[in-house]
Amino acid sequence: MANGTDYYAVLGVSSSATADEIKKQYRRLAKQYHPDANQNDPKAAERFKEISEAHNVLGDAEKRKQYDDMRRLGAFGGVGFGGGRASARPGAGARPGTGQPGAGTFTDFDVGGIGGLGDLFSSMFGGAAGARGARARGTEKGQTVEQTVEVPFRTAATGGQVPVALEVNEECAVCRGNGAAPGARIKPCGECSGRGVISFGQGSFAVNRPCPVCMGRGSVPTERCGTCRGTGEARVRRTVNITVPAGAETGTKVRLRGQGGKGTAGAQAGDLVITFTVLPDRFYSRDGLDLIATVPINIAQATLGSKVSVKTLDGKKVAIRIPAGTSAGRRFRVTGQGIEKDGRKGDLLVEITIAVPETLTEAQEKAMRDFAEATGMKY
């Protein structure tokens, strides 16, 4: 589709034709123009090729949808949004051999506020065209750096900062990003004739991609930089302090604009995306905004009742009255002593466990036996 061909016209069907109608028409035309049946007609082979290309797109539901989207955006010079304005790189003015203006390679059209075709290609091909558009013009936004960071439980609960060591690509300090050795000359790239882009086909579609030789710069040095080997970038390690928001959980992400890789030729730096993994705590666990603290008591405390002291998240102590006959697993709620997030605050849940001694002194064992006999328990 880089040549701007109207595939519906090639097959001689309307844009509302059904899949069966397209298939039937393709078979009829393929039989008519097949090279084996037209060995003395060299134009038949070219016609057969066009028919096959058109069917390859229109005969596939997903490709047809993408093609129709581009067709509606006026990608065929007068079809679709006739009022949209279009601007293309050199060489995009006419289809070779046809003399049809506006039917060339449509790379960076502006269709009046809808967005360039680079945006459309971006959605079709995973962002390749849109994300690399800046690079094709000699500049490129810095890389987005993603990293998983382990955060202590209490830092995640209350908020704080953690240091993070990162490895990112930054502009080479020796060549300052142009990839040239000191004293080397810069000349136009022979592969892309200095445009910085080459045409790249994907199925029946074509887009412009950064030239792999000059990496989108449009020029190459007579001698490459020995430090970065001509890439213009160097891998560096740096440490940044990341602010952990209060109430962060495992999977929480934060994006720091401009803290990723450095852009080339003065372009904007990339972003740093941090995903938190919250480490377990020896005392607390979490249920939403509620904190759960497990507190062990002995058999006598559980049987007779007692009072225990528990630390809150901010280091203060609260007293909990344990009533007689408390069983393991029972919880006591301390209101407002949980995790605070977005104006809401959870509670502290104190969960009781019964600690059974592994060994007893003679006096303790006698007391337990007396207790068992008094209750009629057999052992």
Side-chain angles (χ1 to χ4, degrees):
M1 198 164 109
N3 57 13
T5 302
D6 187 337
Y7 290 141
Y8 290 106
V10 170
L11 292 182
V13 296
S14 71
S15 59
S16 60
T18 66
D20 287 340
E21 290 173 339
I22 291 174
K23 184 176 182 181
K24 183 177 180 180
Q25 178 71 347
Y26 163 70
R27 287 179 174 176
R28 187 184 71 80
L29 293 176
K31 182 178 180 180
Q32 179 181 348
Y33 291 99
H34 197 284
D36 291 345
N38 299 271
Q39 296 183 7
N40 296 325
D41 185 0
K43 293 184 179 180
E46 184 63 29
R47 176 75 171 125
F48 179 80
K49 182 179 178 181
E50 289 183 349
I51 294 167
S52 299
E53 181 178 288
H55 180 259
N56 182 50
V57 174
L58 301 184
D60 182 288
E62 183 61 26
K63 287 183 180 179
R64 183 181 181 183
K65 180 181 181 301
Q66 296 170 353
Y67 175 80
D68 287 343
D69 288 341
M70 296 185 69
R71 194 169 184 269
R72 283 192 294 271
L73 290 175
F76 301 97
V79 179
F81 290 85
R85 63 187 187 279
S87 61
R89 293 190 179 89
R95 181 182 173 187
T98 66
Q100 297 176 4
T105 302
F106 24 88
T107 51
D108 275 336
F109 285 86
D110 182 351
V111 286
I114 298 175
L117 285 186
D119 296 332
L120 182 57
F121 278 127
S122 178
S123 65
M124 290 163 53
F125 301 122
R132 296 298 180 185
R135 186 169 190 167
R137 294 188 291 275
T139 63
E140 183 182 12
K141 180 180 178 179
Q143 66 178 151
T144 294
V145 179
E146 298 188 25
Q147 186 158 329
T148 300
V149 175
E150 293 184 338
V151 180
F153 182 94
R154 302 187 189 206
T155 302
T158 61
Q161 288 193 331
V162 292
V164 179
L166 303 172
E167 284 192 358
V168 296
N169 289 336
E170 291 195 348
E171 187 179 88
C172 175
V174 176
C175 67
R176 296 190 177 182
N178 65 11
R185 293 184 297 105
I186 303 295
K187 62 180 183 178
C189 175
E191 180 71 17
C192 64
S193 300
R195 294 181 62 230
V197 294
I198 58 174
S199 180
F200 178 85
Q202 181 164 340
S204 299
F205 298 93
V207 294
N208 280 347
R209 292 285 181 87
C211 174
V213 175
C214 65
M215 292 177 288
R217 298 187 186 96
S219 60
V220 292
T222 55
E223 182 182 353
R224 297 185 184 276
C225 173
T227 301
C228 66
R229 298 183 180 181
T231 64
E233 298 177 344
R235 196 73 170 168
V236 297
R237 187 177 182 87
R238 56 189 173 93
T239 300
V240 296
N241 288 322
I242 304 298
T243 299
V244 182
E249 303 176 71
T250 293
T252 296
K253 294 178 181 290
V254 294
R255 178 182 290 270
L256 303 180
R257 304 274 181 195
Q259 294 297 312
K262 188 174 182 180
T264 61
Q268 180 183 356
D271 299 336
L272 172 61
V273 179
I274 298 294
T275 302
F276 295 123
T277 297
V278 180
L279 298 174
D281 188 77
R282 62 180 182 83
F283 183 61
Y284 295 116
S285 60
R286 179 175 176 176
D287 182 9
L289 296 182
D290 290 337
L291 284 176
I292 302 173
T294 302
V295 176
I297 60 175
N298 60 39
I299 296 176
Q301 288 176 299
T303 304
L304 304 175
S306 181
K307 182 185 289 187
V308 296
S309 181
V310 180
K311 273 191 176 182
T312 60
L313 198 59
D314 57 7
K316 298 178 181 178
K317 290 184 177 182
V318 293
I320 305 293
R321 169 66 66 179
I322 306 299
T326 295
S327 57
R330 183 173 178 181
R331 290 182 174 182
F332 299 89
R333 183 180 297 271
V334 182
T335 304
Q337 292 298 322
I339 297 171
E340 186 172 4
K341 181 180 180 181
D342 299 330
R344 298 181 298 121
K345 196 166 187 179
D347 301 329
L348 172 62
L349 305 178
V350 179
E351 184 172 304
I352 299 299
T353 62
I354 308 300
V356 179
E358 295 181 1
T359 59
L360 297 172
T361 64
E362 288 186 8
Q364 289 171 337
E365 183 175 351
K366 182 179 183 306
M368 290 297 293
R369 290 181 183 277
D370 291 341
F371 173 76
E373 291 175 0
T375 58
M377 183 180 70
K378 295 182 179 180
Y379 55 89

